[in-house]
Structures are given as structure tokens and as C-alpha cells.
């Protein structure tokens, strides 16, 4: 364990050993004129608050860097020992964050400068995994968190009766490429079999983190997470509902069309009219994005577009070359190249000699310039898009690296994801032609095909992006009990996605933890917000670039004015409430899904034409705990 420093001693409420050894301050001398001194202030002062903020920021930055290094090692070298080392580093960080957050509440009601008041709020709301102040229980939280993430990273399905064991990457390849319903089902069931061992750990994790959230003054962890958006938890929940209602008609049109096309491929006994779609048939392990089955639903009579995966491989792209090309996108906007250490320290290819967490992620190890990505890159169109997205995180991290530590983050967590996704929206045929990956842009008659392919990922994701935290909010609040985890999960998936389990599921299963963000306790509503914000960003950046024509054909590649506007927003970090950062890039102060609807407007018209006479919508057969299916 790292020894307690004087600075740590000064700011941590729990550092009672420091308090016992500190000498009391000397009494002030009497005034020279013989008058009695005025009474000392009875409450905390603005000066004390400012001093507290400065000291606490320094402590947290030091511990955060140490924890980030330990987390990187655990994610790229999964062993028993790295799991313990990471858990210890995370415990030290949590041990500092929680008492600092509690002490920050002491200054509520004090008249403070804006920056001091904002940082005090961020101390309280920036905690994702609150832990009890009791050291033993706090240590248990970090060990549980590290254990679940490692179990996920080590997950394998070994077919009964022998055969090669397969990890998530291999099973996902089957889900993406196979058109054999029986093989798809085996891969789906196989991966979900890794989750039940986490069920008891997750139940205990919820219990302990809820205890930590209550110590911070929140009803539960879900209320804490919803407090991170410059509004009350109740206001944020209503905001999410409002945005879903804006985009729901577009999703339902896409669902209706895709279900009908899948019924033609697999038969109506497998894909039934008026019912949710079986989850294993949609090309993704969690049915969160459907682009991998585009060949099964592609419009007839509009002509072929292009196969980006084939183009990348034909032109000799490697994982590193794909990353270099994505870097070139950002430098074309006027931004500096990535530092040499990025290329030396990132993980681009899955190692053959050890387990790693392959889930793509961007890292800012030292909070300044040690930028990295961790990703097991395949030469595919999907990974080409993902790399552009991940570098968006890195460039955002670099843009705010001169701000105070607490402001080194995005305006809200949806902004970080949205920025990367907005960049990926510029991976258009125009961009691909400019960098030599295709010879010419498809003409406008093929736009429906391009939009449908895009919607299969962007639009299909919306309800999934919403429901993961809807499930967790209900779990944290107790509305879904541990005895109803799986029932609640599938009730929400049916209700929002119109997707159902392909085989009977019971409470012996724990299907939520087959998703990384549940096993690793990563909030997910940010991805729902990002899917909407990215189009709002894209529309504004295209306007800055002077784009004329359909929004879906715009790429900001090479436009310095769009880069300037983007940079101005990124440099704000988290220093101002997110509506101000939104205004800096879009001129609007409210998240608005109309840009997404504008982008897909030609597709919506076409989908509704195709769906004429079809039975759209779906029956929900799994009720939420405590409700009927119809509610």
C-alpha cells in the first residue's frame, strides 16, 4: 500500500491517524490596542473551500494516474496478480474519492466563486463506483469489480463433448457471419454461459455500492449516476424519455422492415409476425447493432454499393495503417499528430500469448500526453469506423489537458462518445474516395442502401443504449430484485428493442453480465445520448464547412473551419455546464434528435413504403417485475 503523504493527510476525512498526530494550531496573539478579538467564523468559509479544492484535486490526479496505469496493465495482461494490483490501485483511488466527496458537501450553502462551487459538485457526482467508508467493505467493492471484469475478459465457451474453446471475438464472428440459425444459437447460448458465475458477486456489488451512494447523500447508485448531467436525477430521467419519444417512430419503422426480411430468410415459424425478433439473428451478440446482417435485408433494385472490408483488404491495409489513416483525418482538420508514445504503447492487435480485454477503448494514462488505444483490430469496415471513433476520444483528451484536473473530461459523458461518433459519420463515400479506398462515389439512386446500412447500426442501437441503464436504475432502486434480474432484463429488451431471448431463460441465468459494461460497471446512457448528439454535432460541423446537399453525404475531412469549431468545444472540457459546450459547437442549448431524423429522412419515407400492409409493432410477453406485460 502507498504510504499516506502529508497532502493526503490534509484532505482525507478518513485519515484519522493524521488527525491524531497533528499539533493543535497556536492561539492568536491579542490585538495590540487591547480590544477583544471578534468571534471566529462558526462555519466553513470560501477560502477554506478553495484550499480544499486545490489540495483534493492534486491528490486525486496523482491517484488517478496510478490507477490508470494499473488498469491498463490488467486489461492488457490479465493474470491473478494484475487483477490484485489493479484492485489495490482502484481501492486507493476510491478511498480518497469517497471521503473527499463527503467533505465537499460541508461547503453547501457557502457563497463561492463559480469554479470552486462547480468543482465541489464534481467531487460528489463524478464517482461511478461509490463504496462504503468502512475499509473492509470498500476493499470488497474493488475486489468484486476487478473480479467481474476479469471473468468477462477470460470468458470462453467450450462446446460439450469436446472441441475448441472459443472466446468472445470468435463467437462474435459466428454471430456476424453465419446464416445457420442452429450455429447462431449455439454461439449465442455459449457466450451467455460465461455470466451466471458473476450473479452472486453482482448482487453483493449492488448492495455495497448502494451503501456508498447513500453515504454521499443519494438514494442509490442510479440516482448518483443521473445527477451527473447538470440537472436533478428526476429531470434527467424525463429528458431521456423525451429523446426516446423523438426517435422511437424511426426505430419502429426499421424494426418492422428488418423483421419481415428476416422472416423471409428463416421462415415465419422462427421470426413471427407481431412478435419480438429472436436476439441471435441480428448479427451482434447483444443485438445492439444490426449492420452485419445487411446482406439479408439490402434493398432490391437499388444496385450494389461497395464492400469497405473488401476494399481495405485489397489495398493491403493493416491494423496500424488503419490507425494511421484515422489520425490523418484529425490532422486534416488542423490538429497535431499523435505523440510517438501513442504508437509505442498502444495495443492494436490481440496478443497470442496472453488474455486481454479486447473491448475497444481510448486511454489518457498521465492526463496529459500519454494517449493510447486498446483494441484487437481486424481489417474490417466496422473496425475502421471504430478506430476513427476511438481517436476522437484521444483528441478530446488532449484538447482539455491544460485545464485543472476536475475539468479534464467531456461536458457530459455523452459528449465524449458523440464526438468520436460524429467523426465516424464523416467516413462517407466522399471521404473514402479522397483517401483512395473507392474509385468513385455511388450515385444518389443508391443512397437508400447506404442509409439503411448506417441505420442498421445507428438507429438499431437506440433502445439498447437506453435499456441497459433502465435495467440498472431499477436494480439499484430495488424495483428489480436479485431474484428477478433476468426477468427484468428481458422485459426491458422486449419492451424497448422488440427483441426476445432465442431460448427459454430463467433466473439460473444472468444475461445482463454477458455485456461488458454491466460486468465492468460502466454507465451506458452516455451511448444513447451520443447516438443523438453525434448527428447534432455533425449537422453543425457540416454547416460550418459550408456543405450543400443531403446531410448523410457530408464529410468534414480536410475542413479547417469545422476543425476550429470542434477544437473550441473540446478545449472547454467539463469547465462549464454541458448546455454551454453544446452551444459552442451547435448554437443550441438542448439535445435535439431532429438532426438524426433529418439525416435519415429519405430512409424513413422508403421504410414506410416497404412496410405498407405489414403488421408492425410487437407483443411484449415478459412483464416487468411488479407489472403486467401490457403496462
Amino acid at each position: 500500500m502507498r504510504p499516506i503523504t502529508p497532502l493526503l493527510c490534509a484532505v482525507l476525512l478518513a485519515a484519522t491517524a493524521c488527525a491524531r498526530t497533528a499539533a493543535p494550531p497556536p492561539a492568536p496573539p491579542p490585538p495590540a490596542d487591547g480590544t477583544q478579538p471578534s468571534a471566529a467564523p462558526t462555519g466553513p468559509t470560501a477560502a477554506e473551500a478553495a484550499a480544499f479544492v486545490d489540495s483534493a484535486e492534486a491528490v486525486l490526479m496523482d491517484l488517478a494516474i496510478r490507477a490508470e496505469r494499473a488498469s491498463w496493465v490488467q486489461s492488457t495482461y490479465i493474470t491473478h496478480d494484475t487483477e490484485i494490483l489493479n484492485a489495490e490501485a482502484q481501492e486507493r483511488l476510491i478511498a480518497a474519492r469517497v471521503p473527499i466527496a463527503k467533505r465537499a458537501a460541508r461547503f453547501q450553502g457557502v457563497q463561492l466563486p463559480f469554479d470552486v462551487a462547480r468543482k465541489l459538485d464534481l467531487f460528489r457526482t463524478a464517482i461511478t463506483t461509490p463504496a462504503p467508508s468502512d475499509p473492509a467493505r470498500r476493499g470488497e467493492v474493488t475486489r468484486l469489480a476487478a473480479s467481474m471484469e476479469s471473468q468477462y475478459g477470460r470468458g470462453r465457451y467450450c462446446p460439450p463433448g469436446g472441441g475448441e474453446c472459443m472466446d468472445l471475438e470468435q463467437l462474435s464472428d459466428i454471430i456476424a457471419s453465419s446464416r445457420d440459425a442452429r450455429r447462431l444459437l449455439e454461439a449465442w447460448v455459449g457466450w451467455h454461459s460465461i455470466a451466471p458465475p458473476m450473479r452472486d458477486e453482482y448482487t453483493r456489488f449492488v448492495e455495497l455500492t448502494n451503501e456508498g451512494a447513500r453515504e454521499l447523500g443519494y438514494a442509490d447508485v442510479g440516482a448518483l449516476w443521473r445527477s451527473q448531467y447538470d440537472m436533478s436525477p428526476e429531470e434527467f430521467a424525463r429528458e431521456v424519455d423525451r429523446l426516446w419519444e423523438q426517435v422511437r417512430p424511426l426505430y419502429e419503422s426499421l424494426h418492422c422492415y428488418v423483421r419481415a426480411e428476416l422472416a423471409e430468410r428463416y421462415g415465419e415459424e422462427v421470426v413471427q409476425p407481431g412478435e419480438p425478433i429472436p436476439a441471435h439473428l441480428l448479427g451482434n451478440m447483444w443485438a445492439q447493432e444490426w449492420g452485419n446482417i445487411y446482406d439479408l435485408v439490402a434493398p432490391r433494385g437499388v444496385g450494389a454499393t461497395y464492400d469497405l472490408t473488401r476494399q481495405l483488404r485489397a489495398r493491403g491495409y493493416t491494423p496500424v495503417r488503419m490507425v494511421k489513416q484515422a489520425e490523418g483525418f484529425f490532422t486534416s482538420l488542423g490538429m497535431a499528430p499523435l505523440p510517438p508514445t501513442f504508437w509505442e504503447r498502444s495495443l492494436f492487435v490481440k496478443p497470442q500469448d496472453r488474455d486481454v480485454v479486447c473491448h475497444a477503448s481510448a486511454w489518457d494514462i498521465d492526463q496529459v500526453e500519454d494517449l493510447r488505444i486498446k483494441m484487437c483490430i481486424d481489417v474490417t469496415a466496422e473496425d475502421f469506423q471504430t478506430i476513427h471513433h476511438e481517436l476522437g476520444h484521444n483528441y478530446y483528451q488532449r484538447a482539455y489537458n491544460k485545464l485543472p484536473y476536475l475539468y479534464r473530461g467531456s461536458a457530459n459523458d455523452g459528449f465524449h462518445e458523440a464526438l468520436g461518433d460524429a467523426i465516424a459519420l464523416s467516413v462517407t463515400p466522399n471521404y473514402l474516395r479522397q483517401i483512395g479506398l473507392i474509385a468513385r462515389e455511388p450515385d444518389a439512386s443508391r443512397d437508400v442502401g447506404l442509409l439503411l446500412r448506417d441505420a442498421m447500426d445507428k438507429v438499431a442501437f437506440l433502445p439498447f443504449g437506453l435499456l441497459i441503464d433502465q435495467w440498472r436504475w431499477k436494480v439499484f432502486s430495488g424495483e428489480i430484485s436479485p431474484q428477478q434480474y433476468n426477468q427484468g432484463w428481458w422485459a426491458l429488451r422486449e419492451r424497448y428493442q422488440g427483441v426476445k431471448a432465442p431460448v427459454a431463460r430463467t433466473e439460473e441465468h444472468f444475461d445482463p453480465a454477458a455485456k461488458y459494461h454491466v460486468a465492468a460497471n460502466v454507465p451506458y446512457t452516455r451511448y444513447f445520448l451520443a447516438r443523438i448528439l453525434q448527428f447534432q454535432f455533425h449537422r453543425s460541423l457540416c454547416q460550418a464547412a459550408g456543405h450543400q446537399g443531403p446531410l448523410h453525404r457530408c464529410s468534414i475531412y480536410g475542413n479547417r473551419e469545422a476543425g476550429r469549431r470542434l477544437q473550441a468545444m473540446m478545449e472547454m472540457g467539463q469547465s462549464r455546464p454541458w448546455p454551454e459546450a453544446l452551444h459552442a459547437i451547435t448554437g443550441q442549448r438542448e439535445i435535439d434528435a431532429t438532426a438524426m431524423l433529418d439525416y435519415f429522412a429519405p430512409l424513413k419515407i422508403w421504410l414506410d413504403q416497404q412496410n405498407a400492409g405489414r403488421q408492425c409493432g410487437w407483443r411484449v410477453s415478459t412483464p416487468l417485475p411488479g407489472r403486467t406485460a401490457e403496462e
Side-chain angles (χ1 to χ4, degrees), residues 586-602:
T586 69
Q588 298 173 274
R589 297 182 184 275
E590 183 178 75
I591 302 176
D592 179 19
T594 61
M596 185 180 209
L597 302 181
D598 289 347
Y599 187 97
F600 288 109

Side-chain angles (χ1 to χ4, degrees), residues 397-540:
Q397 289 161 344
R398 172 189 266 178
Y400 54 61
N401 69 9
K402 293 181 174 60
L403 294 175
Y405 168 72
L406 282 179
Y407 291 162
R408 295 183 194 184
S410 60
N412 68 41
D413 56 5
F415 274 60
H416 237 307
E417 298 300 327
L419 186 140
D421 284 342
I423 295 300
L425 285 177
S426 279
V427 182
T428 62
N430 183 348
Y431 169 58
L432 299 176
R433 178 188 58 76
Q434 290 185 72
I435 63 175
L437 273 170
I438 61 174
R440 63 185 64 85
E441 296 179 55
D443 62 45
S445 67
R446 300 179 181 179
D447 279 6
V448 164
L450 292 171
L451 284 170
L452 178 60
R453 175 62 183 81
D454 209 11
M456 298 280 283
D457 285 343
K458 302 288 188 183
V459 178
F461 177 84
L462 290 167
F464 187 81
L466 184 71
L467 71 86
I468 285 189
D469 280 352
Q470 293 287 330
W471 179 81
R472 283 191 289 199
W473 294 349
K474 295 178 188 301
V475 165
F476 287 131
S477 72
E479 185 176 339
I480 295 176
S481 71
Q483 294 75 34
Q484 302 163 317
Y485 278 169
N486 237 39
Q487 177 189 340
W489 175 253
W490 286 107
L492 289 168
R493 295 200 67 180
E494 289 181 22
R495 182 179 300 264
Y496 284 104
Q497 273 189 294
V499 166
K500 66 181 179 181
V503 291
R505 310 303 281 173
T506 70
E507 294 304 328
E508 293 180 2
H509 306 106
F510 187 36
D511 296 328
K515 178 64 179 170
Y516 170 80
H517 298 74
V518 174
N521 198 49
V522 179
Y524 210 76
T525 303
R526 64 182 67 170
Y527 301 103
F528 172 75
L529 296 176
R531 280 298 197 272
I532 294 172
L533 279 167
Q534 66 184 270
F535 291 95
Q536 203 169 351
F537 290 178
H538 181 63
R539 181 169 64 184
S540 296

